[in-house]
Amino acid sequence: MNIPRSSFPRIVIIGGGFAGIALAKKLSKKEVQVVLLDKNNYHTFQPLLYQVSTGGLEPDSIAYPIRKILQDYPNFFFRMAKVQQVLHDEKVLVTNIGKLSYNYLVVAAGSETNFFGNFEIEKNAMAMKSIPQSLNLRSMILENFEQALLTDDLHERDALMNFVIVGGGPTGVELAGALAEIKKGILPKDYPDLDTRRAQINLIQSGDRILKEMSEEASIKAEDFLERLGVQIWKNTRVTGYDGKTVLTKTDLVFEAATLVWAAGVKGASIKGLDMEEVVVPGNRIKVNEFNQLIGYPEIFAIGDIACMHTDELPSGHPMMAQPAIQQGRHLGENLLNLIENKPMQPFIYEDKGSMATIGRNKAVADLKNYRFQGVFAWFVWMFVHLFFLIGFRNRMVVFVNWVYNYIRFDREARLIIRPYRRDYSLFRDRKKT
Ligand SMILES: Cc1cc2nc3c(=O)[nH]c(=O)nc-3n(C[C@H](O)[C@H](O)[C@H](O)COP(=O)(O)OP(=O)(O)OC[C@H]3O[C@@H](n4cnc5c(N)ncnc54)[C@H](O)[C@@H]3O)c2cc1C
């Protein structure tokens, strides 16, 4: 990997997400050699992926080059590499660009979409966990409308304009709201010769309320906002199958839909060599102690989505959100320096700053530490918080300008099919014949 030997201990971080970047920043200018590995050369701001999928933002505005974030830090090395295996006995990582030894290893590889073992859904549904996936979804949504315009079969046209979103968490809610706004404000102008009033947005939730991690007040209000936008919400409904055209559910409800977005869950990213029975907990997360250290592997740590730290208040670990990842990254930075200097490590204490979700223009719900509020003010707070946490001045400016423009013009101009998503439309034609 062409990393020079150093007299400083080498800390290797897998993943340049919220947790990995927060840790690397904390270790900058200290007497350690830091090597950050990521399969991409950019950091992704995942909370705004849904805006890329729906043409509200260009992908570049929510991605940032990892090298630029850390370019002024001495003793810091970045390699674009996919980690394939951890050989913990040898303290070596195997990657697609070679092997690398470490003194301390920090796993900050995040999470991946959880299809709960349903391969049919995995094959046919759209996920929204990365920028390429969001661009696929953007293309697919637009291609479906182009295709709907060409068919004279009403059944096929309705299926092409039917969007089923599985998962009533923030991702599903935000995407449903954005699609509903497109239906209302953009489609009638873009497709005057198509009856876009027939387009449907169906949000399916297995539990009895959406945004179940938030307060009941927030759930009720979000539901009200979505219904006012024309989103159909199906609660207590579990999706069991999707062959690319028909969505099956446990309650015998059936949807004919060309698009199914799976936002129903995530699980810890898989890293070979760290899949020991005593380490992996349900949800494929890595069990850590109060110092984010793997029990039985004192030189290996895990932070962010992939880490599961059981506490009395949080028996299933911290929520898989940006704040725990950032806080764990910063905290581990201090603990690693303590460890190297033979000082005692301090336990991680999570400061819950609350959560928010936006449903659309002037509509958001916020459960902050001491306040709960919904509506326009929540929407402004949501925008401010997201701008604040975006990395890079340019990105903040671009996102801000886009939002102002979209707000004033009721528009989303990034509705471009730059990289067509290949989809076999004959599936729907075959149905017509049978
Ligand atoms: C659509 C969506 C919306 C969200 N909205 C919100 C929100 O509104 N608020 C909120 O707080 N949270 C939100 N989240 C969750 C939040 O983004 C995550 O909790 C957060 O990104 C976790 O940070 P992390 O550093 O653990 O992982 P990530 O940010 O996922 O970073 C992991 C990094 O590891 C890299 N990586 C993975 N495997 C390997 C490998 N084998 N080799 C090399 N590199 C690897 C990846 O490329 C990635 O850069 C959202 C997530 C999604 C998907």
Side-chain angles (χ1 to χ4, degrees), residues 15 17-19 38-39 46-47 81 83 108-110 128 171 304-305 320-322:
F18 286 102
D38 199 295
K39 57 188 173 188
Q46 293 177 17
V83 175
M128 202 178 59
T171 303
D305 274 6
M320 292 162 94
M321 290 171 69

Side-chain angles (χ1 to χ4, degrees), residues 25-42:
K25 283 183 171 174
K26 200 81 200 173
L27 293 174
S28 68
K29 300 175 187 160
K30 299 286 189 275
E31 296 198 333
V32 286
Q33 185 188 58
V34 181
V35 184
L36 177 58
L37 306 174
D38 199 295
K39 57 188 173 188
N40 299 314
N41 77 337
Y42 56 85

Side-chain angles (χ1 to χ4, degrees), residues 14-21 37-40 42-50 66 81-84 108-111 128-130 170-171 174 266 269-271 303-306 319-325 356 382 386:
I14 308 175
F18 286 102
I21 295 290
L37 306 174
D38 199 295
K39 57 188 173 188
N40 299 314
Y42 56 85
H43 165 84
T44 304
F45 191 79
Q46 293 177 17
L48 293 179
L49 280 174
Y50 85 96
I66 294 175
K82 184 172 166 75
V83 175
Q84 293 163 332
S111 54
M128 202 178 59
K129 198 69 184 89
S130 66
T171 303
E174 294 182 345
V266 288
S270 299
I271 304 268
I303 50 175
D305 274 6
I306 202 169
M320 292 162 94
M321 290 171 69
Q323 267 306 314
M356 285 184 275
W382 179 91
H386 282 71

Side-chain angles (χ1 to χ4, degrees), residues 412-430:
R412 286 166 178 264
E413 285 200 355
R415 45 186 194 278
L416 312 164
I417 307 172
I418 301 274
R419 196 187 57 171
Y421 181 69
R422 299 278 162 240
R423 180 90 204 220
D424 186 3
Y425 288 104
S426 64
L427 284 171
F428 296 93
R429 294 205 186 95
D430 292 347

